[in-house]
Amino acid sequence: METKLSQFIQHAIQSQPISGTSLIISLYGDALHHRGGEVWLGSLTNLLEPMGFTDRFVRTSVFRLQKESWLDVEKIGRRSYYRISERGQNQFRHAESKIYQSEQPDWDGKWDLLLLEAANKEDKLRLKKELSWLGFGQFNTSLMAAPSCAQSDIPSLLSELNAAEHAIYFRADYPSARSEKNLKELVSNAWSLQEVAEHYHQFILLFRPLALLLKDITDKQISPAQCFQLRLLLIHFYRRVILKDPLLPDELLPAQWEGQIARHLCTNIYQRVDQAATQYVSQICETTVGELPQPSTSYYRRFGGVLKEIAA
């Protein structure tokens, strides 16, 4: 059974090219964000080398993330400790609200509309990119839109993006059902839903065999190291899909949307391996003051609160 798990891990690693910076971001966001966000560089190597990622791979990745302001570094003697930067904290919070969501959001039928005609070409390109990452779709060259459940405080969001002077904000109703077909086509194109659906399909094909395999084994048949590796790969691949998903309400999605299937699959696997993976990270990782702190209470709210707290 251990061989089958090891084979799955290697198959997953080889199934798609893995960016070092992206993998390290997945590791920090999933395993360290709620545990102080700081770790010794050697600990990262100790976590990833058994998966086939070299010390050089890790060093190059964290160096790039530091240059891109995702991480800050503190050197004590010959040791380097990398912690999540303030910019990184903001990005992780935005991402976490999507990755660990337990269900599709409710919707009141209203839309948030942002007209960007007042922005110059450079600001418009920047805002389109950032707003797309936050769940907005492009309805035309100057109009970005999102179901009103996607963002609760648009003025604050615009201020955070330095866009208050470049965007005009409207909240709109959609009272007519006659144009529903045209609206769904517009939504599908604006958010590239066919492409997102294909990514979900590939995720399900990759991880469904793991879910079946985990049903047939006991806790003693899977090592803590394997639990960590499976959880990291699960979230890494899921994150790459879910962050492209605008998480539209059910009313705007195609029939038989595979996003729900992927979410349930991810939740079930995560819940199965989480405790042993968390304990393994505790054993391997060191910070500037010694051991990692235990996960904060908010960690256990992931996926609707299905995770079990580890006894101190």
Side-chain angles (χ1 to χ4, degrees), residues 245-282:
D245 185 348
L247 296 181
L248 298 171
D250 290 330
E251 294 93 328
L252 299 173
L253 290 172
Q256 299 179 330
W257 179 245
E258 288 191 298
Q260 287 96 326
I261 299 172
R263 182 186 297 115
H264 292 310
L265 178 63
C266 182
T267 301
N268 291 337
I269 296 174
Y270 197 99
Q271 185 178 18
R272 175 69 171 81
V273 301
D274 175 64
Q275 278 198 331
T278 298
Q279 291 170 337
Y280 181 73
V281 170
S282 297

Side-chain angles (χ1 to χ4, degrees), residues 3-19:
T3 300
K4 289 184 178 180
L5 287 172
S6 298
Q7 288 174 346
F8 173 83
I9 290 168
Q10 289 307 310
H11 169 66
I13 291 171
Q14 295 167 8
S15 66
Q16 298 178 30
I18 293 181
S19 157

Side-chain angles (χ1 to χ4, degrees), residues 43 81 87 102:
S43 297
Y81 297 84
R87 173 183 180 271
S102 60

Side-chain angles (χ1 to χ4, degrees), residues 190-256:
W191 279 279
S192 303
L193 292 187
Q194 186 172 352
E195 180 182 344
V196 175
E198 178 58 28
H199 287 311
Y200 274 131
H201 185 67
Q202 294 303 319
F203 174 84
I204 293 167
L205 289 179
L206 178 60
F207 282 96
R208 183 176 275 157
L210 174 62
L212 297 175
L213 185 60
L214 290 173
K215 285 184 178 180
D216 295 332
I217 64 176
T218 65
D219 290 345
K220 293 182 178 180
Q221 292 176 295
I222 179 171
S223 71
Q226 287 176 322
C227 286
F228 163 75
Q229 292 165 13
L230 292 171
R231 191 182 71 176
L232 175 59
L233 291 171
L234 175 76
I235 287 300
H236 180 65
F237 284 102
Y238 186 63
R239 181 177 72 86
R240 297 203 302 191
V241 184
I242 193 72
L243 293 185
K244 295 176 182 177
D245 185 348
L247 296 181
L248 298 171
D250 290 330
E251 294 93 328
L252 299 173
L253 290 172
Q256 299 179 330

Side-chain angles (χ1 to χ4, degrees), residues 12 33 37 51 54 62 116 135 141-142 153 176 205 223 228 256 310:
H33 182 217
M51 301 174 70
T54 64
V62 295
L116 305 180
T141 56
S142 297
D153 190 350
S176 173
L205 289 179
S223 71
F228 163 75
Q256 299 179 330
I310 297 174

Side-chain angles (χ1 to χ4, degrees), residues 13 40 56 60 130 138 282 293:
I13 291 171
W40 173 44
R56 182 177 180 181
T60 301
E130 293 179 332
Q138 184 174 333
S282 297

Side-chain angles (χ1 to χ4, degrees), residues 88-130:
Q89 291 282 1
N90 292 332
Q91 296 287 347
F92 282 127
R93 279 193 291 269
H94 281 305
E96 182 166 21
S97 65
K98 296 186 70 173
I99 294 170
Y100 303 101
Q101 195 172 79
S102 60
E103 57 187 18
Q104 294 294 111
D106 293 328
W107 187 41
D108 62 3
K110 298 183 184 297
W111 287 84
D112 289 322
L113 306 177
L114 296 175
L115 188 61
L116 305 180
E117 285 192 351
N120 60 41
K121 184 177 180 180
E122 183 177 340
D123 283 327
K124 188 179 289 187
L125 288 173
R126 173 181 67 85
L127 289 172
K128 284 180 180 178
K129 181 178 179 180
E130 293 179 332

Side-chain angles (χ1 to χ4, degrees), residues 151-187:
Q151 299 293 342
S152 59
D153 190 350
I154 300 299
S156 294
L157 172 66
L158 294 175
S159 178
E160 183 179 329
L161 296 178
N162 296 318
E165 297 181 0
H166 305 308
I168 302 174
Y169 168 46
F170 302 91
R171 176 160 287 187
D173 289 317
Y174 176 66
S176 173
R178 288 190 175 184
S179 304
E180 185 172 343
K181 181 180 178 181
N182 291 335
L183 175 63
K184 283 200 169 186
E185 289 178 359
L186 177 62
V187 165

